[in-house]
Amino acid sequence: MVKFLDLQKINLAHEAELQEALNQVLLNGWYIRGKFHDEFESKFADYCGTSRCVGVANGLDALILIFKGFKQLGLLKDGDEVIVQANTYIASIISITASGLVPVFVEPDKDTYNLSVENVSKAITSKTKAILAVHLYGQLSPMRELKELAEKNNLLLVEDCAQSHGAKDHRGLKAGNLSDAAGFSFYPGKNMGALGDAGAVTTSNESLANIIKTMGNYGSQKKYLNELQGVNSRLDEIQAAVLLVKLKYIDQENELRRRIAERYLSEIINPHLTLPKFQSGSLDHVFHVFVIRCKNRKEFIEFTDSHGIQTLIHYPIPFHKQGAYQEYASLKLPITERIHEEIVSIPISPVMEESEVDQVIQVLNQYRPG
């Protein structure tokens, strides 16, 4: 069986360095916001090209703290509207509603699955105060155009970078440095994954970074002095130490993903499958997942599984069909619904063997709908 993602193999590739990092944390005797935490914040900010990085507990907290931080700065208030693509993972939406804001959903671009600038422009009203751009599946949203639109309408622009670590635009600017603030997840399955939950915010807004750092520590800068009603959302030393190891290899591993993606794009020749749009040689996609579309998805998955290829669906149910957001059940989102009905993610990772890639290509080319 070609595994969809072999996390054990990915981490064992760095076994010696990870063991040494964990040993250093143990021997250091400081486990929350210590030297590894501080070093990671500094190095990840440098990597992304921002002045600040604030480590938090997970990617959802990163986005929530961004929105709540902007509220503390007086740039957002309860009831303000945030435009977001309707086909994103539900965490992006939770970050908006959990912050007392109102999501406004737009259909994505049907080819990239990311925000459509045209649809965003049409959705802006006097209540719109921010845009949340999700770099879905690892591909950058059209950030230059979105930034121009945000500036024209005096809107905040926030990135959800949970799947796009290291992606670069045509200017060489990285995900996390294309907006007012960005949230990252380091969930184990991400391109740069920790050994548990972890997240971060990147920004060059010093006031926002300071507020987020304070809010994530019970609203306190000095022990037992609480300036804000904060939460407990901190990047612990173990995950920071692990991420310092992973950071050294992220660009190399992203390039391995792109090489596999380019093989898929050139060698999977099956009219019954729709492949992602990607310009060869571009660095704006890090292929967190390689998503294809198939009209007979259930049959396709049964076929690939029977031929030793493990697949996953990112994501099977759109948000407005979920019990958590029943108030949006009447929305008509045909592009979003079709995407959720047809998408399938096939194996891609930096530790795949050439023979495994060969097998995936061979099996997908053999598929024919019944």
Side-chain angles (χ1 to χ4, degrees):
M1 173 68 74
V2 179
K3 291 184 178 181
F4 175 76
L5 184 67
D6 193 336
L7 278 181
Q8 184 181 44
K9 191 174 180 181
I10 286 173
N11 287 316
L12 286 178
H14 310 298
E15 181 180 9
E17 288 182 86
L18 290 174
Q19 286 185 342
E20 176 61 21
L22 295 174
N23 191 48
Q24 287 298 314
V25 173
L26 178 65
L27 294 176
N28 193 44
W30 190 281
Y31 307 116
I32 299 291
R33 286 190 170 180
K35 71 173 188 176
F36 294 106
H37 166 276
D38 294 347
E39 183 181 353
F40 176 75
E41 285 190 336
S42 176
K43 287 189 173 179
F44 195 63
D46 288 344
Y47 175 79
C48 293
T50 57
S51 65
R52 294 289 298 277
C53 165
V54 182
V56 298
N58 54 69
L60 175 57
D61 281 3
L63 292 173
I64 291 173
L65 287 167
I66 287 170
F67 288 127
K68 289 188 174 181
F70 279 131
K71 289 174 74 175
Q72 287 290 333
L73 290 173
L75 299 176
L76 291 174
K77 65 180 185 306
D78 284 349
D80 283 345
E81 293 182 350
V82 181
I83 295 173
V84 65
Q85 63 225 59
N87 62 312
T88 186
Y89 182 53
I90 203 164
S92 309
I93 300 163
I94 292 172
S95 74
I96 298 169
T97 58
S99 302
L101 306 171
V102 178
V104 172
F105 301 99
V106 296
E107 291 272 58
D109 181 280
K110 63 182 178 59
D111 294 323
T112 66
Y113 314 123
N114 281 330
L115 275 178
S116 158
V117 177
E118 180 182 0
N119 290 347
V120 172
S121 182
K122 290 177 181 177
I124 295 173
T125 70
S126 59
K127 295 181 180 179
T128 308
K129 300 302 176 185
I131 300 168
L132 176 58
V134 185
H135 304 315
L136 203 60
Y137 309 143
Q139 185 170 26
L140 292 181
S141 298
M143 295 305 293
R144 181 177 61 81
E145 295 89 343
L146 288 171
K147 190 169 186 179
E148 290 173 357
L149 189 62
E151 290 174 349
K152 177 182 176 182
N153 292 277
N154 195 30
L155 306 177
L156 294 167
L157 181 59
V158 178
E159 293 168 83
D160 182 340
C161 298
Q163 302 182 1
S164 60
H165 315 71
K168 297 180 184 179
D169 71 5
H170 67 284
R171 300 164 295 179
L173 297 178
K174 289 194 180 85
N177 187 28
L178 302 170
S179 62
D180 295 299
F184 283 86
S185 168
F186 304 115
Y187 180 78
K190 304 298 185 183
N191 287 31
M192 196 172 95
L195 297 183
D197 274 322
V201 173
T202 57
T203 182
S204 290
N205 184 325
E206 293 290 331
S207 297
L208 178 66
N210 290 336
I211 284 175
I212 289 173
K213 198 170 186 72
T214 300
M215 289 179 68
N217 190 40
Y218 300 100
S220 172
Q221 294 187 51
K222 186 176 180 181
K223 197 168 185 177
Y224 302 131
L225 293 178
N226 302 83
E227 306 161 34
L228 304 171
Q229 293 182 23
V231 295
N232 176 10
S233 184
R234 301 174 297 203
L235 175 65
D236 70 64
E237 282 291 274
I238 289 176
Q239 304 307 339
V242 167
L243 290 169
L244 281 167
V245 173
K246 295 295 190 75
L247 182 57
K248 294 189 291 184
Y249 300 100
I250 183 61
D251 289 338
Q252 172 187 330
E253 293 183 351
N254 281 343
E255 185 55 34
L256 291 172
R257 289 174 179 268
R258 288 192 195 96
R259 290 178 191 174
I260 295 170
E262 294 207 359
R263 282 203 62 193
Y264 285 165
L265 290 165
S266 64
E267 298 178 43
I268 296 174
I269 305 170
N270 187 331
H272 304 289
L273 305 176
T274 301
L275 304 184
K277 301 293 184 181
F278 175 65
Q279 183 177 351
S280 180
S282 173
L283 301 177
D284 72 344
H285 203 325
V286 294
F287 290 97
H288 170 58
V289 287
F290 191 98
V291 174
I292 66 171
R293 285 168 61 185
C294 180
K295 291 183 179 179
N296 307 84
R297 183 170 67 188
K298 183 175 183 295
E299 179 187 79
F300 172 78
I301 292 173
E302 289 173 352
F303 176 84
T304 53
D305 186 66
S306 69
H307 286 75
I309 308 297
Q310 185 182 39
T311 62
L312 289 179
I313 302 173
H314 295 86
Y315 305 94
I317 305 171
F319 82 94
H320 64 302
K321 303 296 184 182
Q322 302 274 10
Y325 288 102
Q326 294 180 46
E327 64 268 38
Y328 296 103
S330 63
L331 285 180
K332 303 300 181 185
L333 298 164
I335 296 175
T336 292
E337 289 172 15
R338 187 163 67 250
I339 288 170
H340 283 272
E341 289 168 359
E342 297 179 356
I343 52 174
V344 185
S345 299
I346 64 175
I348 189 167
S349 83
V351 295
M352 281 185 74
E353 303 289 342
E354 284 294 321
S355 60
E356 293 178 314
V357 179
D358 292 340
Q359 185 178 345
V360 172
I361 293 168
Q362 181 182 22
V363 169
L364 266 64
N365 280 330
Q366 289 174 349
Y367 168 72
R368 297 292 183 272

